[in-house]
Amino acid sequence: MTSLRSSRDGTRAAGDPPRGRRPRPSTRHAPPAAAPERRIPGRRPGAPRLERWLGNSPLGLVLTAPYTAYVLVVFIIPFGVGVWMAFHDYFFTAPGVSVPHPFVGFDNFTEVLGEEKTQRAFANLGLFMAINIPLTVVLALVLASALNAATHWRGFFRMAYYVPYVTASVATLAVWLFLFNGSGAVNKVLGPWAPDPSWLANKHLVMPLIAVYVTWKQLGFYVLLYLAALQNVPKELHEAALTDGAGRRQAFRAVTLPAVRPVTSLVILLSIITAGQIFTEPFLLTGGGPSGASLTPALLVYQRGIEQGEPDAAAAIGLILVTGVLIIATVARRVMERD
């Protein structure tokens, strides 16, 4: 009766929970809830370790395996052998003959760096880069800008610029030999103003001539790179610059150059790599002459390693060349891509 009366009167008896609240279950001794297992989409629970290494689609590794094997066999393994040869006294022997190749440290590097021929080859490479890289960037950008603004014969000019790039060097070098030899077409046009000695026999002109040839042959590829970048520049930016009173040169400097800066960095990087590999042109045009004026490190590697039978010295020159090209390319990239 007391509890019934208290409920009717709105009061609560002793021991009853507060009105309007429900008793909460005690969680003082309940074990903590386990965290739900995180599942990776597309992966079965308890996937084997092999699948974790290969990924969800091992077919991609199968498709890339031939190219990976090609890079490993053609580039990585020979490069490792060349590095080993550069630090050892190595020479060619008859098949089946085993001779010791002692470790010599940096003796091969000291020997080749102290030779005037090596110093001349790297100086020629520096001259080649100083001419080829700026000329390539300027001509490719100017021709791509003109081609982008052209309304007629655009397809013809694209093909005309690209033909030398896909043509074999032997064929194009034959044309340049016809043009620039002692009795060539260029000397006949120049007449009394022709250089003496002639272009390919002149130690002051032969390396600039090779740099101009390489620029002309590679130009079509870089023109297409710049053309693709220019076509992605919004025309509204140029129109806004012209509306604000900027001239065409100012609009080109303020709009076009920043827009194609990544492509410029790529062109410079590719030009540096191409310069480090320069071999065919001096080998076919002059053989490195006259008096080593067109000798390049890549050609010197061939002469020392194949013709003179000194593969350890040739490997040392090649390793110096690779290191120098990597340093120059890294510095150029940092300079071009900085904010």
Side-chain angles (χ1 to χ4, degrees):
M1 294 295 293
T2 305
S3 60
L4 180 59
R5 187 181 299 112
S6 61
S7 61
R8 290 178 179 177
D9 297 340
T11 60
R12 64 182 181 90
D16 292 342
R19 191 175 182 181
R21 298 182 182 177
R22 295 183 179 179
R24 297 181 180 179
S26 176
T27 58
R28 180 176 302 176
H29 302 288
E37 183 180 359
R38 185 179 180 182
R39 294 186 57 186
I40 300 177
R43 178 175 294 176
R44 302 187 308 272
R49 182 173 299 179
L50 181 62
E51 184 177 347
R52 296 181 181 180
W53 282 99
L54 297 180
N56 297 330
S57 180
L59 182 61
L61 293 179
V62 176
L63 295 177
T64 57
Y67 183 74
T68 304
Y70 169 78
V71 172
L72 181 66
V73 174
V74 178
F75 292 100
I76 298 179
I77 294 179
F79 180 77
V81 174
V83 172
W84 182 87
M85 291 168 54
F87 291 94
H88 291 76
D89 182 13
Y90 189 87
F91 52 90
F92 295 123
T93 59
V97 178
S98 178
V99 295
H101 301 290
F103 177 78
V104 296
F106 291 93
D107 290 350
N108 291 327
F109 297 90
T110 305
E111 177 186 353
V112 297
L113 288 176
E115 296 177 353
E116 182 181 358
K117 203 170 185 179
T118 306
Q119 299 172 4
R120 185 65 181 272
F122 280 96
N124 293 338
L125 181 61
L127 176 61
F128 177 90
M129 288 184 174
I131 298 174
N132 171 257
I133 297 176
L135 195 61
T136 298
V137 173
V138 173
L139 289 180
L141 182 56
V142 170
L143 291 177
S145 300
L147 187 59
N148 188 46
T151 56
H152 302 288
W153 301 94
R154 181 179 297 182
F156 169 77
F157 285 114
R158 287 183 184 178
M159 182 183 65
Y161 292 149
Y162 200 71
V163 164
Y165 178 75
V166 297
T167 305
S169 297
V170 176
T172 54
L173 284 171
V175 176
W176 279 67
L177 281 172
F178 169 75
L179 293 175
F180 291 98
N181 60 20
S183 58
V186 175
N187 285 349
K188 290 182 178 179
V189 172
L190 295 177
W193 290 282
D196 187 24
S198 186
W199 302 90
L200 298 177
N202 194 317
K203 62 180 182 180
H204 301 292
L205 297 177
V206 61
M207 205 62 197
L209 180 64
I210 293 176
V212 172
Y213 164 79
V214 175
T215 302
W216 166 78
K217 191 176 189 308
Q218 304 287 334
L219 196 61
F221 175 69
Y222 300 127
V223 167
L224 292 184
L225 290 180
Y226 271 120
L227 185 60
L230 290 173
Q231 291 178 348
N232 290 327
V233 178
K235 295 182 180 180
E236 293 79 6
L237 296 178
H238 290 276
E239 296 175 355
L242 296 176
T243 303
D244 291 340
R248 292 191 176 275
R249 293 183 180 180
Q250 294 176 338
F252 180 82
R253 190 184 309 114
V255 177
T256 304
L257 289 182
V260 300
R261 189 171 183 177
V263 177
T264 302
S265 177
L266 177 62
V267 170
I268 293 176
L269 180 63
L270 294 177
S271 299
I272 293 173
I273 297 175
T274 301
Q277 299 174 348
I278 191 72
F279 168 81
T280 306
E281 293 77 9
F283 178 74
L284 294 179
L285 284 174
T286 61
S291 302
S294 62
L295 184 65
T296 61
L299 180 57
L300 183 59
V301 168
Y302 169 78
Q303 292 179 350
R304 294 293 295 269
I306 304 300
E307 294 181 352
Q308 301 176 15
E310 299 178 0
D312 49 359
I317 297 173
L319 191 56
I320 295 172
L321 175 62
V322 171
T323 305
V325 169
L326 287 177
I327 293 174
I328 296 174
T330 302
V331 172
R333 182 180 177 182
R334 293 289 180 85
V335 171
M336 290 300 302
E337 295 184 359
R338 67 183 179 182
D339 294 333

